[in-house]
Amino acid sequence: MSIDVAIIGIGLHPFGRTDERSGVEQGAYALRAALADAGVRWDQIGAAFGGSQDAGNADALTNHLGLTGLPFANVANGCATGGTALASAVAAIRSGSAEFAVAVGFDKHPRGAFNPQPRDWGLPDWYGRSGLMLTTQFFALKTQRYLHDHGLSEDALSLVAERAFRNGARNPLAWRRTPLGRDEIAASAPVNLPLRKYMFCNPAEGGAAMVLCNARIASRYARKPVLLKAAIVRTRHHGSFEVFSPSLAPQTVPAPTVTASRAAYEQAGVGPEDIDVIQIQDTDSGSELIHMAENGFCEHGEQESLLRSGATEIDGRLPVNTDGGCLANGEPVGASGLRQVHEICLQLRGEATGRQVPGQPKVGYTHVYGAPGVSGVTILQV
Amino acid sequence: MSTPTATLICPELLSFGPEGPSLLGSRCRACGEPYFPATRACTRCLAAEQEPLDLGREGRLWSWTVQSFAPKPPFDGASAEHGFRPYGVGYVELACGLKVEARLTESDPARLRIGMPMQLVIEDYGVPADTRSTFAFAPT
């Protein structure tokens, strides 16, 4: 790619529960914060991409920020919505169709588990009626098989969650700020075995936004622009194990995370060994374990020893989810992919209060996955 | 086993023979890839011609979990009045290699093991009893 794109402004509305603000108001809060961070006005934005699963159309934000006539595309890619929004904003800058672009996501989910409707996903009614249409079941079924295939114990699931809550306690912006011990996590109520209550993120509320521009002009707006060396989205091939699958093909093929990850490393011209700070999708402990290997950070089965050795801690060689991830921040579907990028930007700027990775990290990585098999990966650099 | 009064919610997926029920799917005429449920187009080779395929009734448990909380609607197997019973869910690998997702008649984690042989049954899954049924797998 001949044009480098930079992030010059980032904004976040606290994740968790904010009864006094609607979802779109939380999105507007994040967007205004990102614009202020960049020193750019809303009427300078030439393209916007945004998404929300449960809080209405993202382009309702124009009612809050102003009606300027800009092209504003609503994005709907499940939990990968933020990744698609960001990759689209990058493409708008690279194509020259906008000088400044934004990616924004927000959500405000009802309490309790998600309850997707079969028809929305092209599935028959019996699938939902008989109780097979649950994301928590998918994570459990995939995790169960993965632990079996690669000789991992259920302890690994507790270790992931323990680290997430430990990091959340150090993050002033996190929702869950109380550390939880591995024994308490392992003893928590079964949800879908082998996954238990404290191994799952909770649907929540929040908003996140970024302002982008051509890297050539970025230093006029940001003291430390963050370069998007790669912003990739890939969907599944026949044969991968995805959510909402009444059957799985005889031959297994690599997940969309694998194809997105490889394409991102190639686009950025770096490898996993070059990454200093990482955000991995952690809707549940099992997913984080699987995605660690799929994104190239370890071999399948190596995850437990990495966790036990402290390698994935803030001061380890592979710091993962330094802000506590989805487990400690909750999961507002439209926003989470951009929360990941927000955290990496803070880390690369040296502004991650209470949880800064030491040694001036230079290269960061984000991975997000959503139904029905979409993966978004970014590689960021200062 | 379901009784005649329990309505089968997915009759199009099943055929009933002298040896019991079997699952119905389809197969791509161009590349032979099996599908469940039956489909119209092959997502593997992109061809759009399928033929019916009887997938049989036996397999091995490929993965499993237990549904410990009552799902929200559209799940209609529980009610505030009659309560909720946890149920097993798994993928069962059939002879052709396809793994089919299904309810399991066993919900005790101590009795579920990857690799165990399973058999297709019709399960009365709703409360109150004898109202609705679907396909499921039981340990053989």
Side-chain angles (χ1 to χ4, degrees):
Chain A
M1 288 291 130
S2 52
I3 294 178
D4 261 341
V5 179
I7 299 173
I8 52 169
I10 62 175
L12 195 84
H13 181 284
F15 280 35
R17 296 251 167 241
T18 306
D19 291 338
E20 63 269 26
R21 283 198 187 108
S22 68
V24 68
E25 285 168 343
Q26 295 184 39
Y29 179 107
L31 191 44
R32 288 198 187 95
L35 291 165
D37 187 39
V40 169
R41 291 186 323 272
W42 175 241
D43 60 8
Q44 291 176 272
I45 303 299
F49 300 87
S52 176
Q53 181 177 281
D54 283 334
N57 296 333
D59 64 350
L61 282 167
T62 56
N63 295 327
H64 294 255
L65 277 286
L67 298 175
T68 62
L70 88 167
F72 195 135
N74 291 321
V75 178
N77 272 147
C79 300
T81 292
T84 296
L86 189 60
S88 305
V90 168
I93 303 289
R94 283 195 181 137
S95 72
S97 66
E99 191 184 9
F100 299 99
V102 302
V104 56
F106 56 89
D107 245 305
K108 191 178 179 88
H109 299 301
R111 282 169 166 77
F114 291 118
N115 70 322
Q117 302 298 308
R119 253 160 238 217
D120 291 341
W121 300 90
L123 290 166
D125 284 347
W126 59 261
Y127 191 70
R129 286 183 63 188
S130 60
L132 299 177
M133 182 123 194
L134 282 107
T135 54
T136 52
Q137 277 177 16
F138 160 71
F139 295 128
L141 287 163
K142 189 160 186 179
T143 298
Q144 185 86 276
R145 181 72 198 193
Y146 191 85
L147 297 180
H148 170 269
D149 284 348
H150 299 292
L152 291 165
S153 81
E154 290 181 22
D155 287 352
L157 303 172
S158 302
L159 291 169
V160 166
E162 187 186 46
R163 191 209 63 234
F165 295 119
R166 180 162 51 241
N167 289 352
R170 294 171 61 167
N171 176 11
L173 300 169
W175 183 25
R176 312 285 193 207
R177 303 210 56 214
T178 309
L180 275 177
R182 63 191 69 168
D183 292 342
E184 192 176 351
I185 293 163
S188 59
V191 171
N192 288 101
L193 288 174
L195 295 169
R196 297 170 178 271
K197 179 178 174 190
Y198 293 136
M199 299 170 181
F200 272 107
C201 70
N202 295 115
E205 308 179 19
M210 344 246 101
V211 180
L212 283 63
C213 70
N214 188 315
R216 273 190 292 103
I217 61 167
S219 53
R220 297 181 213 164
Y221 300 93
R223 190 180 53 84
K224 216 168 182 183
V226 176
L227 296 180
L228 274 153
K229 301 302 291 183
I232 300 284
V233 175
R234 289 289 181 272
T235 61
R236 70 201 189 286
H237 290 279
H238 179 93
S240 65
F241 186 170
E242 309 301 340
V243 68
F244 307 148
S245 296
S247 69
L248 302 175
Q251 244 99 47
T252 306
V253 304
T257 292
V258 174
T259 52
S261 176
R262 286 181 187 154
Y265 287 123
E266 192 174 324
Q267 189 172 86
V270 301
E273 65 283 359
D274 300 310
I275 307 298
D276 299 319
V277 57
I278 303 162
Q279 281 276 328
I280 300 266
Q281 177 86 329
D282 64 331
T283 39
D284 62 282
S285 298
S287 289
E288 181 184 308
L289 288 179
I290 297 170
H291 293 317
M292 278 288 293
E294 288 178 336
N295 283 286
F297 295 112
C298 65
E299 298 298 318
H300 293 293
E302 202 187 337
Q303 294 91 334
E304 193 162 346
S305 62
L306 274 182
L307 286 160
R308 289 189 193 283
S309 74
T312 67
E313 299 294 330
I314 288 166
D315 59 358
R317 68 175 177 83
L318 286 171
V320 173
N321 296 347
T322 51
D323 61 347
C326 291
L327 288 169
N329 289 279
E331 167 68 312
V333 163
S336 287
L338 295 174
R339 172 195 52 76
Q340 294 178 329
V341 179
H342 180 274
E343 175 67 6
I344 296 297
C345 287
L346 287 181
Q347 289 285 350
L348 298 180
R349 290 178 178 182
E351 296 169 2
T353 313
R355 63 207 189 272
Q356 179 64 49
V357 165
Q360 299 191 308
K362 295 279 184 296
V363 186
Y365 186 103
T366 72
H367 158 268
V368 74
Y369 166 86
V374 185
S375 183
V377 170
T378 71
I379 296 179
L380 302 132
Q381 187 180 311
V382 290
Chain B
M1 280 295 289
S2 95
T3 64
T5 54
T7 310
L8 186 57
I9 66 168
C10 50
E12 71 278 13
L13 302 178
L14 294 151
S15 96
F16 293 88
E19 287 165 32
S22 60
L23 282 174
L24 296 177
S26 65
R27 176 169 48 205
C28 177
R29 283 192 204 274
C31 76
E33 185 74 357
Y35 284 91
F36 175 81
T39 189
R40 293 192 199 285
C42 185
T43 51
R44 180 171 174 266
C45 80
L46 314 186
E49 273 198 61
Q50 298 266 328
E51 59 195 11
L53 179 65
D54 188 314
L55 295 163
R57 68 182 59 80
E58 286 169 352
R60 288 196 175 269
L61 194 60
W62 188 85
S63 188
W64 64 269
T65 186
V66 179
Q67 183 59 38
S68 301
F69 65 93
K72 293 179 180 174
F75 176 63
D76 64 2
S79 68
E81 192 191 341
H82 293 99
F84 168 73
R85 259 181 307 122
Y87 55 93
V89 176
Y91 279 95
V92 176
E93 186 167 8
L94 305 174
C96 65
L98 199 61
K99 297 108 171 155
V100 168
E101 189 182 8
R103 292 174 60 103
L104 307 175
T105 57
E106 180 59 71
S107 62
D108 180 353
R111 293 177 192 267
L112 289 165
R113 196 185 67 254
I114 289 176
M116 63 193 287
M118 308 290 284
Q119 177 171 274
L120 184 70
V121 297
I122 304 301
E123 183 195 32
D124 177 354
Y125 78 90
V127 286
D130 298 346
T131 49
R132 56 193 76 77
S133 61
T134 187
F135 72 95
F137 280 88
T140 306

